[in-house]
Amino acid sequence: MRDKARKIHDNKDRKYLHVAYLAGKHIGWDIFFRKVGAKVIYFRTSKGLTQEQLADQAHVSQATLSRVENGKYNANLSLALLIDIADGLDINPIYLFDFLPEERGTWMES
């Protein structure tokens, strides 16, 4: 198992790395980042915040927040950044990673 994990880790083409195994299918980074970004947009808009307001509250640049929301962040997206965004949204960070079965079903169609 360790060799398999190392092989995946050493893969240069990170957009094809698998971050989840769901319903018998691998989910790539690109889909994961888009889904997390959609969660950020959902919580931001439900709280009536603009990108600029949330960026200020999360202590990140508006450009960084925009990249996260649009799923354009690369594999260097840090957990610390997502925690800062969750703090700015005044939500538990787990809400950015917790997907209902109905949401997970759309991952296969993306």
Coordinates of all heavy atoms in Angstrom, one line a residue, residues 6-57:
R6 N 3.1 6.1 -2.6 CA 4.2 6.8 -3.1 C 4.2 7.1 -4.6 O 4.5 8.1 -5.1 CB 5.5 6.1 -2.7 CG 6.8 6.8 -3.1 CD 8.0 6.2 -2.6 NE 8.1 6.3 -1.2 CZ 8.2 5.3 -0.3 NH1 8.2 4.1 -0.8 NH2 8.3 5.5 1.0
K7 N 3.7 6.1 -5.3 CA 3.6 6.2 -6.8 C 2.6 7.3 -7.1 O 2.9 8.2 -8.0 CB 3.2 4.9 -7.4 CG 3.1 4.9 -8.9 CD 2.6 3.6 -9.5 CE 2.5 3.6 -11.0 NZ 2.0 2.4 -11.5
I8 N 1.5 7.4 -6.5 CA 0.5 8.4 -6.7 C 1.1 9.8 -6.3 O 1.0 10.8 -7.0 CB -0.8 8.2 -5.9 CG1 -1.5 7.0 -6.5 CG2 -1.7 9.4 -5.9 CD1 -2.7 6.5 -5.7
H9 N 1.8 9.8 -5.2 CA 2.4 11.1 -4.7 C 3.5 11.6 -5.7 O 3.6 12.8 -5.9 CB 3.0 10.9 -3.3 CG 3.7 12.1 -2.8 ND1 3.0 13.2 -2.4 CD2 5.0 12.4 -2.6 CE1 3.8 14.1 -2.0 NE2 5.1 13.7 -2.1
D10 N 4.2 10.7 -6.3 CA 5.3 11.1 -7.2 C 4.8 11.5 -8.6 O 5.5 12.0 -9.4 CB 6.3 10.0 -7.3 CG 7.1 9.8 -6.1 OD1 7.1 10.7 -5.2 OD2 7.7 8.7 -5.9
N11 N 3.5 11.2 -8.9 CA 2.9 11.5 -10.2 C 3.1 13.0 -10.5 O 2.6 13.9 -9.7 CB 1.5 11.1 -10.2 CG 0.9 11.2 -11.6 OD1 1.3 11.9 -12.4 ND2 -0.2 10.5 -11.7
K12 N 3.6 13.4 -11.6 CA 3.8 14.8 -12.0 C 2.5 15.4 -12.4 O 2.4 16.6 -12.3 CB 4.9 14.9 -13.1 CG 6.2 14.3 -12.7 CD 7.1 15.2 -11.9 CE 8.5 14.7 -11.8 NZ 8.8 14.3 -10.5
D13 N 1.6 14.7 -13.0 CA 0.4 15.3 -13.5 C -0.7 15.3 -12.4 O -1.6 14.4 -12.4 CB -0.1 14.5 -14.7 CG -1.1 15.2 -15.5 OD1 -1.5 16.4 -15.1 OD2 -1.6 14.6 -16.5
R14 N -0.6 16.2 -11.5 CA -1.5 16.3 -10.3 C -3.0 16.3 -10.6 O -3.7 16.0 -9.8 CB -1.0 17.4 -9.4 CG 0.3 17.2 -8.8 CD 0.6 18.2 -7.8 NE 1.9 18.0 -7.2 CZ 2.0 17.4 -6.0 NH1 1.0 16.9 -5.4 NH2 3.2 17.2 -5.5
K15 N -3.4 16.8 -11.7 CA -4.8 16.9 -12.0 C -5.5 15.6 -12.0 O -6.7 15.5 -11.9 CB -5.1 17.8 -13.2 CG -4.8 17.1 -14.5 CD -5.2 18.0 -15.7 CE -5.0 17.3 -17.0 NZ -5.5 18.1 -18.1
Y16 N -4.7 14.5 -12.2 CA -5.3 13.2 -12.2 C -5.1 12.4 -10.9 O -5.4 11.3 -10.9 CB -4.7 12.4 -13.4 CG -5.1 13.0 -14.7 CD1 -4.2 13.7 -15.5 CD2 -6.4 12.9 -15.2 CE1 -4.6 14.2 -16.7 CE2 -6.8 13.5 -16.3 CZ -5.9 14.2 -17.1 OH -6.3 14.7 -18.3
L17 N -4.5 13.0 -9.9 CA -4.4 12.4 -8.6 C -5.8 12.1 -8.1 O -6.7 12.9 -8.3 CB -3.6 13.2 -7.7 CG -2.1 13.3 -7.9 CD1 -1.4 14.2 -6.9 CD2 -1.5 11.9 -7.9
H18 N -5.9 11.1 -7.3 CA -7.2 10.8 -6.8 C -7.3 11.1 -5.3 O -6.5 10.7 -4.5 CB -7.5 9.3 -6.9 CG -7.5 8.8 -8.4 ND1 -8.3 9.3 -9.3 CD2 -6.6 8.0 -9.0 CE1 -8.0 8.8 -10.5 NE2 -7.0 8.0 -10.3
V19 N -8.3 11.9 -4.9 CA -8.4 12.4 -3.6 C -9.6 11.6 -2.9 O -9.7 11.7 -1.7 CB -8.7 13.9 -3.5 CG1 -7.5 14.7 -4.0 CG2 -10.0 14.3 -4.2
A20 N -10.4 10.9 -3.6 CA -11.5 10.2 -3.0 C -11.8 9.0 -3.8 O -11.6 9.0 -5.0 CB -12.7 11.1 -2.8
Y21 N -12.4 8.0 -3.2 CA -12.8 6.8 -3.9 C -14.3 6.7 -3.5 O -14.6 6.5 -2.3 CB -12.0 5.6 -3.5 CG -12.3 4.4 -4.3 CD1 -11.8 4.3 -5.6 CD2 -13.1 3.4 -3.9 CE1 -12.0 3.2 -6.4 CE2 -13.4 2.3 -4.7 CZ -12.8 2.2 -5.9 OH -13.0 1.1 -6.7
L22 N -15.2 6.9 -4.4 CA -16.6 7.0 -4.1 C -17.4 6.2 -5.1 O -17.2 6.3 -6.3 CB -17.0 8.5 -4.1 CG -18.4 8.8 -3.8 CD1 -18.7 8.5 -2.3 CD2 -18.7 10.3 -4.1
A23 N -18.2 5.3 -4.5 CA -19.1 4.5 -5.4 C -18.4 3.8 -6.5 O -18.8 3.7 -7.6 CB -20.2 5.4 -6.0
G24 N -17.2 3.3 -6.1 CA -16.4 2.5 -7.1 C -15.7 3.3 -8.1 O -15.1 2.8 -9.1
K25 N -15.6 4.7 -7.9 CA -14.9 5.5 -8.9 C -14.0 6.5 -8.2 O -14.3 6.9 -7.1 CB -15.9 6.3 -9.7 CG -16.8 5.5 -10.6 CD -17.7 6.3 -11.5 CE -18.5 5.4 -12.3 NZ -19.2 6.0 -13.4
H26 N -12.9 6.8 -8.8 CA -11.9 7.7 -8.3 C -12.4 9.2 -8.6 O -12.9 9.4 -9.7 CB -10.5 7.5 -8.9 CG -9.9 6.3 -8.4 ND1 -9.3 6.2 -7.1 CD2 -9.8 5.0 -8.9 CE1 -8.9 4.9 -7.0 NE2 -9.1 4.2 -8.0
I27 N -12.2 10.1 -7.7 CA -12.6 11.5 -7.9 C -11.3 12.3 -8.0 O -10.4 12.2 -7.1 CB -13.4 12.0 -6.7 CG1 -14.6 11.1 -6.5 CG2 -13.8 13.4 -6.9 CD1 -15.5 10.9 -7.7
G28 N -11.1 13.1 -9.0 CA -9.9 13.8 -9.2 C -9.8 15.1 -8.4 O -10.9 15.6 -8.0
W29 N -8.6 15.7 -8.3 CA -8.5 17.0 -7.6 C -9.3 18.0 -8.2 O -9.9 18.9 -7.5 CB -7.0 17.4 -7.7 CG -6.0 16.7 -6.8 CD1 -5.0 15.9 -7.2 CD2 -6.0 16.8 -5.4 NE1 -4.3 15.5 -6.1 CE2 -4.9 16.0 -5.0 CE3 -6.7 17.5 -4.4 CZ2 -4.5 15.9 -3.7 CZ3 -6.3 17.3 -3.1 CH2 -5.3 16.5 -2.7
D30 N -9.4 18.1 -9.6 CA -10.1 19.2 -10.2 C -11.6 19.2 -9.8 O -12.1 20.3 -9.5 CB -10.0 19.1 -11.7 CG -10.4 17.8 -12.3 OD1 -10.4 16.8 -11.6 OD2 -10.7 17.7 -13.5
I31 N -12.2 18.0 -9.7 CA -13.6 18.0 -9.3 C -13.7 18.4 -7.8 O -14.6 19.1 -7.4 CB -14.2 16.6 -9.5 CG1 -14.3 16.3 -11.1 CG2 -15.6 16.4 -8.9 CD1 -14.6 14.9 -11.4
F32 N -12.8 17.8 -7.0 CA -12.9 18.2 -5.6 C -12.7 19.7 -5.3 O -13.5 20.2 -4.6 CB -11.7 17.4 -4.9 CG -11.7 17.7 -3.4 CD1 -12.6 17.1 -2.5 CD2 -10.7 18.6 -2.9 CE1 -12.5 17.4 -1.2 CE2 -10.6 18.8 -1.5 CZ -11.5 18.3 -0.7
F33 N -11.8 20.3 -6.0 CA -11.6 21.8 -5.8 C -12.8 22.5 -6.3 O -13.2 23.5 -5.6 CB -10.4 22.3 -6.6 CG -9.1 21.8 -6.0 CD1 -8.0 21.5 -6.8 CD2 -8.9 21.8 -4.6 CE1 -6.8 21.1 -6.2 CE2 -7.7 21.5 -4.0 CZ -6.7 21.1 -4.8
R34 N -13.5 22.1 -7.4 CA -14.7 22.8 -7.8 C -15.8 22.6 -6.8 O -16.6 23.6 -6.6 CB -15.1 22.3 -9.2 CG -14.3 22.7 -10.4 CD -14.9 22.5 -11.7 NE -15.5 21.2 -11.9 CZ -15.0 20.2 -12.6 NH1 -13.8 20.4 -13.2 NH2 -15.6 19.1 -12.7
K35 N -16.0 21.5 -6.2 CA -17.0 21.2 -5.3 C -16.8 22.0 -4.0 O -17.7 22.5 -3.4 CB -17.2 19.7 -5.0 CG -17.6 18.9 -6.2 CD -18.8 19.4 -6.9 CE -19.2 18.6 -8.1 NZ -20.4 19.0 -8.7
V36 N -15.6 22.1 -3.5 CA -15.3 22.9 -2.3 C -15.5 24.3 -2.6 O -16.1 25.1 -1.8 CB -13.8 22.6 -1.8 CG1 -13.4 23.7 -0.8 CG2 -13.7 21.2 -1.3
G37 N -15.1 24.8 -3.8 CA -15.4 26.2 -4.2 C -16.8 26.5 -4.2 O -17.3 27.6 -3.8
A38 N -17.6 25.6 -4.7 CA -19.1 25.8 -4.8 C -19.7 25.9 -3.4 O -20.6 26.7 -3.1 CB -19.8 24.6 -5.5
K39 N -19.1 25.1 -2.4 CA -19.5 25.2 -1.0 C -19.2 26.6 -0.5 O -20.0 27.2 0.2 CB -18.8 24.2 -0.2 CG -19.3 22.8 -0.4 CD -20.5 22.5 0.5 CE -20.8 21.0 0.5 NZ -21.7 20.6 1.5
V40 N -18.0 27.1 -0.8 CA -17.7 28.5 -0.3 C -18.6 29.5 -0.9 O -19.1 30.4 -0.1 CB -16.2 28.8 -0.7 CG1 -15.9 30.3 -0.4 CG2 -15.2 27.9 0.0
I41 N -18.9 29.4 -2.1 CA -19.9 30.3 -2.8 C -21.3 30.2 -2.1 O -21.9 31.3 -1.8 CB -20.0 30.1 -4.3 CG1 -18.7 30.4 -5.0 CG2 -21.2 30.9 -4.8 CD1 -18.7 30.0 -6.4
Y42 N -21.7 29.0 -1.9 CA -23.0 28.8 -1.2 C -23.1 29.5 0.1 O -24.0 30.3 0.4 CB -23.3 27.3 -1.1 CG -24.5 27.0 -0.2 CD1 -25.8 27.2 -0.7 CD2 -24.3 26.7 1.1 CE1 -26.9 27.0 0.1 CE2 -25.4 26.4 1.9 CZ -26.7 26.6 1.5 OH -27.8 26.4 2.3
F43 N -22.1 29.2 1.0 CA -22.1 29.8 2.3 C -21.9 31.3 2.3 O -22.6 32.0 3.1 CB -21.1 29.1 3.2 CG -21.5 27.7 3.7 CD1 -20.8 26.6 3.2 CD2 -22.5 27.5 4.5 CE1 -21.1 25.4 3.6 CE2 -22.9 26.3 4.9 CZ -22.2 25.2 4.5
R44 N -21.1 31.8 1.4 CA -20.8 33.2 1.3 C -22.1 34.0 0.9 O -22.5 34.9 1.5 CB -19.7 33.5 0.3 CG -19.5 35.0 0.1 CD -18.3 35.3 -0.8 NE -18.5 34.8 -2.2 CZ -19.3 35.3 -3.1 NH1 -20.0 36.4 -2.9 NH2 -19.4 34.8 -4.3
T45 N -22.8 33.5 -0.1 CA -24.0 34.1 -0.6 C -25.2 34.0 0.3 O -26.0 34.9 0.5 CB -24.4 33.6 -2.0 OG1 -24.6 32.2 -2.0 CG2 -23.3 34.0 -3.1
S46 N -25.2 32.8 1.0 CA -26.3 32.6 2.0 C -26.2 33.6 3.2 O -27.2 33.9 3.8 CB -26.4 31.2 2.5 OG -25.3 30.8 3.3
K47 N -25.0 34.0 3.4 CA -24.7 35.0 4.5 C -24.7 36.4 4.0 O -24.5 37.4 4.8 CB -23.4 34.7 5.2 CG -23.5 33.4 6.0 CD -22.2 33.0 6.6 CE -22.3 31.7 7.4 NZ -23.0 31.9 8.7
G48 N -25.0 36.6 2.7 CA -25.1 38.0 2.1 C -23.8 38.7 2.0 O -23.7 39.9 2.1
L49 N -22.7 37.9 1.9 CA -21.4 38.5 1.8 C -20.9 38.6 0.4 O -21.1 37.7 -0.4 CB -20.3 37.7 2.6 CG -20.5 37.6 4.1 CD1 -19.6 36.5 4.7 CD2 -20.4 38.9 4.8
T50 N -20.2 39.7 0.1 CA -19.5 39.8 -1.2 C -18.1 39.1 -1.1 O -17.7 38.8 0.0 CB -19.2 41.3 -1.6 OG1 -18.3 41.8 -0.6 CG2 -20.5 42.1 -1.6
Q51 N -17.5 38.8 -2.2 CA -16.1 38.2 -2.2 C -15.2 39.1 -1.4 O -14.4 38.7 -0.6 CB -15.6 38.1 -3.6 CG -15.9 36.8 -4.2 CD -15.2 36.5 -5.5 OE1 -14.5 37.4 -6.0 NE2 -15.3 35.3 -6.0
E52 N -15.3 40.4 -1.6 CA -14.4 41.4 -0.9 C -14.6 41.3 0.6 O -13.7 41.3 1.4 CB -14.7 42.8 -1.4 CG -13.7 43.8 -0.8 CD -13.9 45.2 -1.4 OE1 -14.8 45.4 -2.3 OE2 -13.3 46.1 -0.9
Q53 N -15.9 41.3 1.1 CA -16.2 41.2 2.5 C -15.6 39.9 3.1 O -15.0 39.9 4.2 CB -17.7 41.3 2.8 CG -18.3 42.6 2.5 CD -19.8 42.6 2.5 OE1 -20.4 41.7 2.0 NE2 -20.4 43.7 2.9
L54 N -15.9 38.8 2.4 CA -15.3 37.5 3.0 C -13.8 37.5 2.9 O -13.2 37.0 3.9 CB -15.9 36.3 2.2 CG -15.4 35.0 2.6 CD1 -15.6 34.7 4.1 CD2 -16.0 33.8 1.8
A55 N -13.2 38.0 1.9 CA -11.8 38.0 1.8 C -11.2 38.8 3.0 O -10.2 38.4 3.6 CB -11.3 38.6 0.5
D56 N -11.8 39.9 3.3 CA -11.4 40.7 4.5 C -11.5 39.9 5.8 O -10.6 39.9 6.6 CB -12.2 42.0 4.6 CG -11.8 43.1 3.5 OD1 -10.7 42.9 2.9 OD2 -12.6 44.0 3.3
Q57 N -12.7 39.3 5.9 CA -12.9 38.5 7.2 C -12.0 37.3 7.3 O -11.7 36.9 8.4 CB -14.4 38.1 7.2 CG -15.4 39.3 7.4 CD -16.8 38.8 7.4 OE1 -17.1 37.7 7.4 NE2 -17.7 39.8 7.5

